[in-house]
């Protein structure tokens, strides 16, 4: 292997799949001997216990009284430049374009160009924020100025090109899960707390934003439950929570639906389910469907965005157009009623998660990108660093 690298990683540390992927990537790279410096406003929530080769640099924001809005972006850019200089970083890998890719560009300017930058696009940074006229040109600039740009699905690459008229290369690097954490967990006792032996368990996990269409989840569940005695477990919280609680109550499903709130041990919780429901309006990837897949749980959901690249329709789950809850419920019933079909889907889930979305393979892809932008041959001998 070529020499280990010193890498700065910036992400949203407290929420979202992009923060999870960035943190898990940092942990895996650190295990491989690279030195990882997280530059974020809080400790990334998935960082866990102390790990060799991982450092954390907190971004402190100047709150001077003349500021109506404290300038977080400027503080982040300065911190990136400062950490890069002091820790002799080889590169900055930023997750989510706004403001991280823009801050990395500023940091690079402060360093006189003496750092490489890699940007990973995650979804709403393009599908939502790039539509905002006040951000569009900045996002475009940041993408053009990055030494490498990756995106988490082909669909997101297509959308980035279309929306921002970008011609520079954008590389596909799928999200992944750590197979040492995401595997089918023993859950008989936990399952018995929520469902009787003859009942099926459906689950939805999200941040309860409108884009997740949690109302559709309830609608699908009501249709499934009318045919097969089932339970619905809802994990997470967010702006739509009270509306969904009201919908559950008003449809007389309160004794069938449990709100579990935010949960840390997603692998354990998902293992309880027979099926994950993901009827999102937009989803560049849908990390939760991969987490479910790795635990042997098929997904029924929408064919929005990058979901079809992750969930193989008819093999590891079923997909229907956004809003078609009747079709989604029909698919769920078909899968839950046919034990043989279900067993095939479960096996296919485990296989697909272990191969296409394997963490070792995808970590190695990122390493190849890093070495390439640095002009280091991946097979080059280990050399001294300054
Ligand atoms: O949904 C968001 O806006 C949050 C964002 C994030 O930062 O986690 O989610 C996006 O990135 C995830 C990780 O790559 C993807 O799994 C999600 O599909 C994507 N969300 C959307 O495209 C709506």
């Amino acid at each position: 292997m070529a020499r280990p690298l010193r890498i700065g990683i910036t992400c949203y540390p407290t929420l979202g799949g992009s923060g999870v992927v960035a943190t898990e990537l940092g942990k895996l790279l650190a295990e491989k001997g690279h030195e990882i410096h997280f530059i974020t406003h809080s400790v990334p929530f998935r960082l866990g216990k102390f790990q060799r080769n991982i450092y954390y640099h907190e971004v402190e924001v100047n709150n001077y009284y003349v500021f109506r809005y404290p300038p977080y972006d400027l503080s982040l850019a300065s911190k990136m430049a400062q950490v890069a200089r002091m820790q002799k970083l080889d590169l900055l890998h930023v997750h989510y374009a706004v403001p991280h890719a823009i801050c990395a560009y500023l940091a690079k300017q402060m360093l006189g160009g003496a750092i490489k930058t890699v940007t990973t696009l995650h979804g709403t940074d393009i599908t939502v924020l790039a539509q905002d006229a006040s951000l569009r040109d900045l996002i475009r600039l940041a993408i053009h100025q990055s030494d490498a740009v990756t995106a988490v699905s082909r669909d997101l690459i297509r959308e980035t090109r279309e929306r921002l008229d970008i011609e520079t290369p954008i590389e596909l690097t799928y999200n992944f899960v750590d197979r040492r954490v995401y595997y089918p967990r023993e859950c008989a006792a936990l399952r018995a707390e929520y469902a009787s032996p003859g009942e099926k368990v459906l689950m939805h996990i999200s941040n309860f934003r409108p884009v997740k269409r949690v109302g559709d989840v309830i609608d699908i569940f009501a249709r499934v439950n009318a045919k097969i005695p089932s339970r619905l477990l809802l994990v997470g919280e967010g702006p739509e929570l009270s509306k969904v609680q009201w919908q559950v109550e008003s449809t007389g499903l309160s004794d069938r639906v449990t709100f579990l709130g935010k949960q840390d041990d997603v692998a354990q919780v998902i293992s309880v389910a027979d099926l994950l429901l993901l009827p999102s309006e937009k989803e560049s990837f849908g990390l939760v469907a991969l987490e479910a897949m790795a635990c042997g749980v098929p997904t029924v959901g929408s064919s929005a965005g990058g979901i079809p690249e992750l969930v193989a329709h008819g093999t590891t789950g079923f997909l229907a157009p956004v809003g078609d809850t009747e079709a989604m419920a029909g698919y769920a019933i078909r899968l839950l009623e046919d034990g043989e079909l279900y067993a095939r889907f479960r096996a296919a889930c485990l296989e697909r998660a272990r191969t296409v979305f394997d963490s070792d393979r995808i970590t190695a892809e990122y390493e190849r990108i890093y070495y390439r932008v640095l002009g280091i041959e991946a097979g080059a001998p280990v050399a001294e660093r300054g």
Side-chain angles (χ1 to χ4, degrees), residues 12 15-19 21 96 121-124 127 152 175 207 209 211-212 282-288:
Y12 283 103
L15 76 168
S18 60
V21 169
Y96 213 85
L121 305 173
H122 279 273
T124 40
T127 58
V152 299
N175 286 335
N207 48 23
R209 287 181 303 132
V211 79
K212 302 292 175 181
K282 279 189 198 319
E283 206 72 72
S284 67
F285 185 82
L287 187 64
V288 70

Side-chain angles (χ1 to χ4, degrees), residues 16-135:
S18 60
V20 171
V21 169
T23 310
E24 295 296 338
L25 175 64
K27 283 158 65 173
L28 290 166
L29 290 166
E31 275 180 39
K32 293 182 89 172
H34 301 289
E35 197 176 287
I36 303 300
H37 295 263
F38 283 100
I39 307 167
T40 49
H41 60 69
S42 326
V43 179
F45 71 111
R46 285 284 180 95
L47 203 51
K49 55 181 184 348
F50 170 81
Q51 193 182 321
R52 207 175 135 256
N53 286 339
I54 292 193
Y55 301 83
Y56 164 63
H57 307 270
E58 185 171 319
V59 179
E60 284 157 53
V61 183
N62 189 315
N63 255 325
Y64 193 55
Y65 77 99
V66 297
F67 295 141
R68 182 159 172 206
Y69 306 107
Y72 171 71
D73 307 354
L74 302 181
S75 301
L76 173 60
S78 296
K79 192 76 181 183
M80 284 173 165
Q82 186 194 339
V83 174
R85 202 179 290 119
M86 291 183 64
Q87 305 294 336
K88 299 190 169 63
L89 297 187
D90 292 295
L91 60 87
L92 291 165
H93 184 177
V94 295
H95 293 257
Y96 213 85
V98 185
H100 304 152
I102 299 153
C103 296
Y105 168 64
L106 265 180
K108 189 175 184 171
Q109 298 304 304
M110 284 185 245
L111 295 163
I115 185 109
K116 298 291 181 188
T117 60
V118 176
T119 296
T120 294
L121 305 173
H122 279 273
T124 40
D125 42 359
I126 298 301
T127 58
V128 176
L129 298 175
Q131 293 187 66
D132 182 335
S134 71
L135 295 171

Side-chain angles (χ1 to χ4, degrees), residues 121-228:
L121 305 173
H122 279 273
T124 40
D125 42 359
I126 298 301
T127 58
V128 176
L129 298 175
Q131 293 187 66
D132 182 335
S134 71
L135 295 171
R136 189 178 187 277
D137 290 344
L138 268 174
I139 297 175
R140 209 163 171 272
L141 172 77
I143 289 177
H144 276 132
Q145 295 298 326
S146 293
D147 294 292
V149 181
T150 74
V152 299
S153 63
R154 285 185 205 286
D155 189 72
L156 184 56
I157 295 177
R158 179 194 58 74
E159 204 157 347
T160 309
R161 293 207 177 291
E162 277 175 24
R163 284 190 190 281
L164 291 172
D165 199 16
I166 300 261
E167 273 156 29
T168 49
I170 303 175
E171 298 171 60
L172 173 67
T173 314
Y174 281 133
N175 286 335
F176 59 87
V177 285
D178 188 337
R179 68 179 113 115
R180 295 166 302 182
V181 179
Y182 287 87
Y183 58 88
R185 304 276 190 93
E186 167 49 45
C187 62
L190 190 58
R191 188 180 164 112
E193 282 186 33
Y194 298 106
S196 318
E199 291 173 332
K200 298 294 182 189
V201 177
L202 286 78
M203 187 174 285
H204 172 75
I205 305 181
S206 78
N207 48 23
F208 284 65
R209 287 181 303 132
V211 79
K212 302 292 175 181
R213 295 183 71 102
V214 190
D216 283 6
V217 171
I218 309 302
D219 190 29
I220 299 164
F221 175 72
R223 291 168 190 267
V224 173
N225 185 51
K227 280 219 83 182
I228 307 171

Side-chain angles (χ1 to χ4, degrees), residues 208 214 218 234 240-251 254 257 259:
F208 284 65
V214 190
I218 309 302
L234 293 169
E240 297 276 284
L241 185 60
S242 350
K243 199 166 140 194
V244 174
Q245 282 167 335
W246 179 84
Q247 190 184 351
V248 167
E249 236 178 275
S250 62
T251 43
S254 299
V257 180
F259 289 84

